[in-house]
Amino acid sequence: MKRMIRNMVFHISVVLLIAGCGKDEEGIENRSPNGILIEVEAPQTNGWSTEEVTGTRSGMAKTVRQKGEYGVDMEVSTQHCPAGTATEEASTRWANVDDNITFRVVAYKSATAAGISTANYAGYGDYKLSGSSVQTTKSLILPVGTYTFIVYSYGNSSAITAFTNSSASIPVTNGQNFMTYVKAGVAINNIGSTYTLGNIVFKHHCARYRVQAIAQAGRMGAITACAGTVTLPRHNATYSFTNNTLTAQDGSGTINVTWNSPNAMSVYSNYTYLLPQASASVTVKLGLTIGNKPFSNRSATLSGVTLNANNTYYSNVSFTTTEGYIIGGSIWANGNLYYTAGTSTYGIYPNTLTCSKADNAQDYFVFNNPLPNNPELVTTWSDSRDPCRKVEPNSAWRTPTLQEFNNLLSYAKGVPKDGYTIYGDVLKLPYSSFMRFTDGHPHESYFDAIGYYLCTTYNRHLQNEFIGGEDSSTGEIIAFVIRCVRNK
């Protein structure tokens, strides 16, 4: 009897020792003598489609225009982007997967994909690409048999949520570069050794998408900050192992679009990835800085947008204005301010280089005086006396502050040209000199090589490349031209 008990204890110890399959210090499970360790070669992708999509050729793009704040309009055009166009380099089929991407291998004991089921689930392993090699983060060990493998990745370096045999499907959302590969009928019989799963070529199930933000040349400075979102009617999907399909569900969601340190007139976002959907209403919303002036929550919705899997799409978002010039954090009017005595109205010259340079002129104003040719002088600024605010529509414009002049010079040093100073290849301010309030209110042509521009700080004005101050020791009252800035 004692001998029987000793034999039973020995037998149980051997069984436990064989069944034990814990993880080593690196997190890799120890190999069972009856199991086969599954290793994986570095996968590739089948690249992004280079084919044109029916109904999305040039001229078929979905376009919408929106009026915007400060008179800056926004136009969004979304279309398919075949490889080799101006916005997309020609892609090579069978491309390498990005470094540090994680992926998973799920095994089913079945000779064909038709046999994938929770009952046939055999286990899974997790892997991470490191250069041309693959690191195992959770090993997969299988007994002898014939298997079908489902390989999938979300296209990022994040750890993948644990998997069990409770389901033969997984969730996918916008923003994930979801890819799969199915390898069926793999016979594994080299007990105690390893099997290397090779020739994995991922298939893209989502569409690739990015945004090009474009500032209007000649009227705007560069785009130096940009962030945005895209909202679609379908945000979540389910990928089924049994039929290798991705099915998106109704339910809107928003995904971020990002830029890396933009600093140009035209800037492309990083790629994001969107679930396939047909005839969708897509809302693009941006917050950006143009010419050092921020614009927030600029959005437009396009209807009838179709996104097909394994294709590339882009939205061109163009910003334009006829109201003025965006530079140094302000929107500067098209031309200088003027007054029409006969109708008692105020206006802005349509030509940026117009300046009367005349005696008794109607486009020269004394500090904080709403009327030209009026020698009344106050030295404390009042918005109610601002002549720029009297341009219709009321208070759409105002006289610039001293800080706005300083911001302009910090952003773009003035460069003298023939008859004007130009700032950042955008804003041209004509040379103006000034008008002295003596007999005949004469224009001082002697100073016609300088542009003197009034601001809301007494005794300070813009002089071409720097901030100057009038010499008030003579007691004379002097009038200057004004270039208004947009107020709303």
Side-chain angles (χ1 to χ4, degrees):
M1 183 67 177
K2 292 181 178 179
R3 183 177 181 181
M4 184 180 297
I5 292 173
R6 282 198 301 269
N7 289 343
M8 184 179 296
V9 171
F10 175 77
H11 175 72
I12 292 172
S13 299
V14 171
V15 171
L16 290 173
L17 180 62
I18 294 174
C21 189
K23 292 187 177 181
D24 60 23
E25 292 181 355
E26 295 183 355
I28 306 300
E29 294 179 358
N30 296 322
R31 190 181 316 160
S32 168
N34 294 321
I36 300 162
L37 178 66
I38 307 300
E39 294 183 342
V40 185
E41 288 182 352
Q44 293 182 302
T45 75
N46 63 354
W48 293 92
S49 175
T50 60
E51 301 299 322
E52 185 66 82
V53 176
T54 302
T56 61
R57 294 181 182 274
S58 178
M60 299 294 289
K62 303 297 181 180
T63 302
V64 64
R65 296 175 178 84
Q66 295 266 352
K67 291 290 186 182
E69 59 182 342
Y70 303 109
V72 178
D73 301 330
M74 172 178 171
E75 177 178 300
V76 182
S77 174
T78 298
Q79 60 194 54
H80 173 256
C81 177
T85 65
T87 59
E88 175 67 17
E89 296 179 359
S91 61
T92 302
R93 308 300 279 175
W94 297 70
N96 292 330
V97 175
D98 291 340
D99 197 17
N100 292 321
I101 294 300
T102 59
F103 61 97
R104 173 166 291 168
V105 177
V106 184
Y108 290 89
K109 198 163 186 180
S110 171
T112 66
I116 293 174
S117 67
T118 56
N120 288 333
Y121 171 76
Y124 76 89
D126 283 339
Y127 306 86
K128 187 171 187 176
L129 188 63
S130 178
S132 59
S133 63
V134 174
Q135 296 177 347
T136 302
T137 57
K138 181 187 181 303
S139 60
L140 173 60
I141 300 173
L142 300 173
V144 169
T146 300
Y147 295 88
T148 292
F149 293 97
I150 299 291
V151 188
Y152 69 89
S153 174
Y154 291 102
N156 56 46
S157 60
S158 301
I160 303 175
T161 304
F163 188 82
T164 69
N165 65 343
S166 63
S167 175
S169 64
I170 52 174
V172 183
T173 64
N174 282 319
Q176 296 172 332
N177 180 17
F178 185 67
M179 305 175 285
T180 66
Y181 175 72
V182 180
K183 195 175 185 72
V186 179
I188 297 178
N189 53 21
N190 49 341
I191 296 175
S193 183
T194 62
Y195 179 87
T196 301
L197 198 63
N199 298 319
I200 297 172
V201 181
F202 280 122
K203 169 188 175 183
H204 294 288
H205 284 274
C206 294
R208 186 170 60 164
Y209 172 80
R210 66 177 173 176
V211 175
Q212 180 187 19
I214 306 168
Q216 185 179 4
R219 280 191 174 268
M220 300 180 183
I223 298 172
T224 54
C226 203
T229 60
V230 179
T231 303
L232 301 103
R234 293 184 175 182
H235 186 65
N236 299 294
T238 299
Y239 171 72
S240 172
F241 291 176
T242 57
N243 54 17
N244 191 29
T245 58
L246 183 69
T247 303
Q249 294 96 40
D250 289 337
S252 65
T254 297
I255 187 69
N256 291 330
V257 181
T258 61
W259 280 256
N260 289 334
S261 303
N263 187 15
M265 298 298 293
S266 173
V267 294
Y268 284 104
S269 73
N270 302 315
Y271 281 113
T272 190
Y273 302 90
L274 306 178
L275 296 174
Q277 35 208 300
S279 299
S281 292
V282 177
T283 299
V284 180
K285 179 183 289 187
L286 296 184
L288 72 168
T289 299
I290 305 176
N292 226 33
K293 182 172 180 61
F295 295 88
S296 61
N297 297 324
R298 302 302 306 271
S299 67
T301 299
L302 300 95
S303 300
V305 175
T306 295
L307 304 171
N308 294 302
N310 197 35
N311 280 272
T312 300
Y313 299 83
Y314 67 96
S315 290
N316 281 339
V317 184
S318 300
F319 294 89
T320 60
T321 183
T322 59
E323 297 289 333
Y325 303 89
I326 305 176
I327 186 170
S330 299
I331 303 177
W332 304 83
N334 282 326
N336 290 346
L337 177 71
Y338 70 89
Y339 176 75
T340 302
T343 57
S344 299
T345 57
Y346 297 79
I348 290 172
Y349 289 132
N351 190 320
T352 192
L353 294 180
T354 300
C355 184
S356 68
K357 297 182 182 179
D359 296 347
N360 219 16
Q362 299 294 295
D363 53 353
Y364 285 73
F365 295 80
V366 175
F367 181 83
N368 205 201
N369 198 312
L371 295 174
N373 291 305
N374 187 343
E376 178 190 6
L377 176 64
V378 295
T379 58
T380 301
W381 185 266
S382 170
D383 286 343
S384 64
R385 293 172 59 86
D386 185 348
C388 284
R389 291 178 181 270
K390 301 182 183 303
V391 176
E392 292 294 336
N394 189 45
S395 290
W397 300 91
R398 57 178 173 76
T399 297
T401 64
L402 178 60
Q403 185 61 55
E404 284 170 320
F405 279 161
N406 283 319
N407 291 343
L408 174 63
L409 293 175
S410 295
Y411 185 89
K413 181 178 174 61
V415 177
K417 296 290 185 179
D418 185 14
Y420 61 92
T421 303
I422 189 168
Y423 302 86
D425 295 326
V426 174
L427 178 64
K428 297 177 181 179
L429 297 182
Y431 296 152
S432 59
S433 185
F434 53 86
M435 188 179 71
R436 215 183 282 269
F437 274 83
T438 56
D439 292 340
H441 300 172
H443 167 76
E444 295 292 344
S445 57
Y446 182 78
F447 296 97
D448 276 349
I450 301 176
Y452 293 91
Y453 284 82
L454 201 65
C455 71
T456 59
T457 297
Y458 178 65
N459 202 29
R460 291 291 183 269
H461 43 258
L462 180 65
Q463 291 183 21
N464 296 4
E465 304 160 58
F466 63 94
I467 304 298
E470 63 180 281
D471 183 0
S472 58
S473 62
T474 62
E476 291 182 304
I477 297 176
I478 298 176
F480 303 91
V481 294
I482 305 176
R483 181 61 64 100
C484 306
V485 295
R486 188 79 181 191
N487 192 44
K488 64 180 180 178

